[in-house]
Tab-separated table of all heavy atoms in Angstrom:
chain	number	residue	atom	x	y	z
Z	28	ILE	N	6.011	35.652	34.888
Z	28	ILE	CA	5.585	35.686	36.241
Z	28	ILE	C	5.761	37.076	36.903
Z	28	ILE	O	4.921	37.602	37.672
Z	28	ILE	CB	6.335	34.619	37.108
Z	28	ILE	CG1	5.803	33.221	36.716
Z	28	ILE	CG2	6.156	34.853	38.555
Z	28	ILE	CD1	6.510	32.120	37.412
Z	50	GLY	N	1.659	25.946	48.614
Z	50	GLY	CA	0.978	26.465	49.826
Z	50	GLY	C	1.345	27.941	50.097
Z	50	GLY	O	1.947	28.574	49.280
Z	51	LYS	N	0.962	28.413	51.255
Z	51	LYS	CA	1.279	29.747	51.748
Z	51	LYS	C	0.742	30.857	50.860
Z	51	LYS	O	1.279	31.959	50.739
Z	51	LYS	CB	2.792	29.901	51.895
Z	51	LYS	CG	3.405	28.949	52.940
Z	51	LYS	CD	4.906	29.239	53.129
Z	51	LYS	CE	5.485	28.284	54.176
Z	51	LYS	NZ	6.904	28.535	54.327
Z	72	ASN	N	6.984	28.985	30.875
Z	72	ASN	CA	8.178	28.856	30.062
Z	72	ASN	C	8.709	27.427	30.160
Z	72	ASN	O	9.231	27.028	31.200
Z	72	ASN	CB	9.262	29.867	30.495
Z	72	ASN	CG	10.443	29.848	29.563
Z	72	ASN	OD1	10.803	28.816	29.017
Z	72	ASN	ND2	11.019	30.988	29.369
Z	74	ILE	N	11.252	25.894	28.921
Z	74	ILE	CA	12.706	25.779	29.130
Z	74	ILE	C	13.053	25.972	30.629
Z	74	ILE	O	13.797	25.271	31.252
Z	74	ILE	CB	13.476	26.711	28.221
Z	74	ILE	CG1	13.212	26.377	26.805
Z	74	ILE	CG2	14.976	26.710	28.561
Z	74	ILE	CD1	13.868	27.314	25.780
Z	75	ALA	N	12.538	27.096	31.146
Z	75	ALA	CA	12.751	27.421	32.601
Z	75	ALA	C	12.230	26.298	33.501
Z	75	ALA	O	12.877	25.895	34.467
Z	75	ALA	CB	12.101	28.740	32.954
Z	170	VAL	N	14.196	-0.832	20.103
Z	170	VAL	CA	12.918	-1.436	19.548
Z	170	VAL	C	13.256	-2.081	18.154
Z	170	VAL	O	14.023	-1.505	17.353
Z	170	VAL	CB	11.807	-0.382	19.449
Z	170	VAL	CG1	11.186	-0.118	20.759
Z	170	VAL	CG2	12.294	0.899	18.743
Z	175	GLU	N	23.650	-8.001	21.107
Z	175	GLU	CA	24.115	-8.574	22.353
Z	175	GLU	C	25.210	-7.737	23.030
Z	175	GLU	O	25.502	-7.914	24.168
Z	175	GLU	CB	24.572	-10.001	22.130
Z	175	GLU	CG	23.486	-10.942	21.760
Z	175	GLU	CD	23.967	-12.384	21.560
Z	175	GLU	OE1	25.158	-12.571	21.528
Z	175	GLU	OE2	23.116	-13.278	21.372
Z	183	ILE	N	11.202	-6.449	20.905
Z	183	ILE	CA	11.303	-6.962	19.525
Z	183	ILE	C	10.185	-7.957	19.263
Z	183	ILE	O	9.473	-8.350	20.214
Z	183	ILE	CB	12.647	-7.717	19.299
Z	183	ILE	CG1	12.759	-8.902	20.311
Z	183	ILE	CG2	13.836	-6.785	19.423
Z	183	ILE	CD1	13.960	-9.792	20.066
Z	190	ALA	N	9.447	-16.692	11.561
Z	190	ALA	CA	10.011	-17.395	10.408
Z	190	ALA	C	9.712	-18.900	10.451
Z	190	ALA	O	9.368	-19.501	9.430
Z	190	ALA	CB	11.517	-17.149	10.359
Z	217	THR	N	17.731	-10.495	10.844
Z	217	THR	CA	18.199	-11.372	9.776
Z	217	THR	C	18.566	-12.741	10.346
Z	217	THR	O	18.190	-13.810	9.830
Z	217	THR	CB	19.342	-10.754	9.032
Z	217	THR	OG1	18.943	-9.492	8.411
Z	217	THR	CG2	19.952	-11.702	7.971
Z	218	PHE	N	19.382	-12.688	11.396
Z	218	PHE	CA	19.818	-13.916	12.012
Z	218	PHE	C	18.689	-14.824	12.519
Z	218	PHE	O	18.603	-15.992	12.265
Z	218	PHE	CB	20.798	-13.630	13.168
Z	218	PHE	CG	21.294	-14.821	13.903
Z	218	PHE	CD1	22.286	-15.633	13.372
Z	218	PHE	CD2	20.709	-15.162	15.133
Z	218	PHE	CE1	22.735	-16.778	14.095
Z	218	PHE	CE2	21.132	-16.261	15.830
Z	218	PHE	CZ	22.160	-17.065	15.309
Z	234	ASP	N	17.017	-31.479	4.378
Z	234	ASP	CA	18.375	-31.003	4.482
Z	234	ASP	C	18.428	-29.537	3.991
Z	234	ASP	O	17.800	-29.162	2.964
Z	234	ASP	CB	19.286	-31.875	3.617
Z	234	ASP	CG	19.433	-33.239	4.207
Z	234	ASP	OD1	19.255	-33.387	5.447
Z	234	ASP	OD2	19.690	-34.182	3.501
Z	237	GLU	N	22.391	-24.967	0.808
Z	237	GLU	CA	23.026	-23.611	0.835
Z	237	GLU	C	22.759	-22.857	-0.431
Z	237	GLU	O	22.715	-21.568	-0.439
Z	237	GLU	CB	24.514	-23.764	1.140
Z	237	GLU	CG	24.839	-24.359	2.487
Z	237	GLU	CD	24.575	-23.393	3.618
Z	237	GLU	OE1	24.204	-22.255	3.319
Z	237	GLU	OE2	24.769	-23.804	4.767
Z	245	ASP	N	23.036	-8.960	-2.531
Z	245	ASP	CA	23.705	-9.379	-3.768
Z	245	ASP	C	23.274	-8.544	-4.935
Z	245	ASP	O	22.073	-8.425	-5.257
Z	245	ASP	CB	23.448	-10.871	-4.009
Z	245	ASP	CG	24.431	-11.493	-4.960
Z	245	ASP	OD1	24.737	-10.868	-5.975
Z	245	ASP	OD2	24.855	-12.612	-4.722
Z	250	GLU	N	19.246	-12.470	-10.883
Z	250	GLU	CA	19.800	-13.560	-11.652
Z	250	GLU	C	19.889	-14.834	-10.800
Z	250	GLU	O	19.674	-15.962	-11.321
Z	250	GLU	CB	21.195	-13.177	-12.193
Z	250	GLU	CG	21.194	-12.162	-13.305
Z	250	GLU	CD	20.397	-12.684	-14.508
Z	250	GLU	OE1	20.552	-13.931	-14.873
Z	250	GLU	OE2	19.609	-11.982	-15.131
Z	283	ASN	N	7.207	-17.717	-16.364
Z	283	ASN	CA	5.836	-18.332	-16.454
Z	283	ASN	C	5.671	-19.439	-15.394
Z	283	ASN	O	5.086	-20.505	-15.714
Z	283	ASN	CB	5.693	-18.929	-17.903
Z	283	ASN	CG	5.628	-17.848	-18.932
Z	283	ASN	OD1	4.955	-16.806	-18.786
Z	283	ASN	ND2	6.384	-18.024	-20.055
Z	289	GLN	N	2.456	-23.568	-8.688
Z	289	GLN	CA	3.791	-24.227	-8.761
Z	289	GLN	C	4.784	-23.681	-7.722
Z	289	GLN	O	5.709	-24.392	-7.349
Z	289	GLN	CB	4.323	-24.028	-10.165
Z	289	GLN	CG	5.586	-24.789	-10.454
Z	289	GLN	CD	6.036	-24.653	-11.913
Z	289	GLN	OE1	5.174	-24.484	-12.810
Z	289	GLN	NE2	7.304	-24.740	-12.160
Z	297	ASP	N	3.978	-7.875	6.606
Z	297	ASP	CA	2.561	-7.517	6.299
Z	297	ASP	C	2.408	-6.075	5.861
Z	297	ASP	O	1.584	-5.312	6.403
Z	297	ASP	CB	1.670	-7.792	7.517
Z	297	ASP	CG	0.175	-7.939	7.188
Z	297	ASP	OD1	-0.134	-8.061	6.013
Z	297	ASP	OD2	-0.642	-7.941	8.122
Z	316	PHE	N	2.597	-1.607	15.926
Z	316	PHE	CA	1.985	-0.594	16.822
Z	316	PHE	C	2.193	-1.056	18.279
Z	316	PHE	O	2.583	-0.220	19.134
Z	316	PHE	CB	0.477	-0.521	16.546
Z	316	PHE	CG	-0.259	0.541	17.370
Z	316	PHE	CD1	-0.463	1.790	16.865
Z	316	PHE	CD2	-0.731	0.247	18.640
Z	316	PHE	CE1	-1.127	2.755	17.635
Z	316	PHE	CE2	-1.389	1.196	19.377
Z	316	PHE	CZ	-1.593	2.506	18.902
Side-chain angles (χ1 to χ4, degrees):
I28 287 177
K51 297 183 180 179
N72 185 324
I74 297 177
V170 284
E175 293 181 352
I183 59 173
T217 296
F218 176 79
D234 292 334
E237 296 287 354
D245 198 316
E250 286 301 319
N283 294 314
Q289 189 175 329
D297 200 11
F316 184 95

